[in-house]
Amino acid sequence: MRIQDIIEGKKEWRAHVARVKALPQDYQIVYKEMQKYLFKVGPVELTDGTGLFSGIIDLFEEDAALGKGVLEVTGTDVAAFCDDLIKDSKTYADIYQESVDQEVNKAMKKVTDKTK
């Protein structure tokens, strides 16, 4: 990774944080919880910059400007809202499950090959 890429990434993140801080308080609270949740759930694309989070902020900025409360946007089950956002995304859990399945299949093949 080049130094220039690191600098650009930091600038992008700072601008992102400034947008979050400009949101109404209720939106900031929900955004931060969503961010924690998404980092734990682990969609692979989160390592590709701020794309998903910028999309959330775009949505929040629009709805805040319309005077909506954040839970009118997300619903009261914020985790389910997050899950819906990433339902078509590959997660680290998916990758791990695939590797476990591959290892089990490999081991089972060895066992069945020996018994033939």
Side-chain angles (χ1 to χ4, degrees):
M1 180 173 263
R2 300 177 340 179
I3 289 284
Q4 192 61 34
D5 294 337
I6 294 169
I7 291 169
E8 286 303 313
K10 284 187 175 191
K11 284 181 185 175
E12 183 182 339
W13 186 253
R14 281 191 197 109
H16 179 81
V17 170
R19 287 179 70 196
V20 173
K21 288 181 178 178
L23 291 169
Q25 186 76 30
D26 60 335
Y27 280 86
Q28 288 182 46
I29 291 166
V30 170
Y31 174 84
K32 288 175 185 170
E33 289 306 315
M34 289 176 66
Q35 188 180 45
K36 283 190 244 178
Y37 179 80
L38 290 167
F39 277 128
K40 286 180 183 174
V41 171
V44 176
E45 69 210 27
L46 287 185
T47 58
D48 295 339
T50 60
L52 175 64
F53 293 122
S54 289
I56 293 168
I57 293 175
D58 289 343
L59 175 68
F60 281 8
E61 287 172 337
E62 289 171 25
D63 288 325
L66 295 172
K68 291 183 179 178
V70 70
L71 295 181
E72 289 179 75
V73 179
T74 62
T76 55
D77 189 343
V78 177
F81 179 81
C82 290
D83 290 341
D84 197 46
L85 289 176
I86 60 168
K87 69 178 181 253
D88 297 323
S89 301
K90 188 169 198 136
T91 65
Y92 288 108
D94 294 332
I95 293 169
Y96 186 62
Q97 286 173 338
E98 289 168 9
S99 72
V100 168
D101 290 344
Q102 288 171 359
E103 291 303 313
V104 167
N105 289 335
K106 231 190 295 182
M108 294 303 286
K109 186 172 175 12
K110 283 181 186 176
V111 169
T112 56
D113 286 349
K114 287 181 183 177
T115 59
K116 286 183 181 178

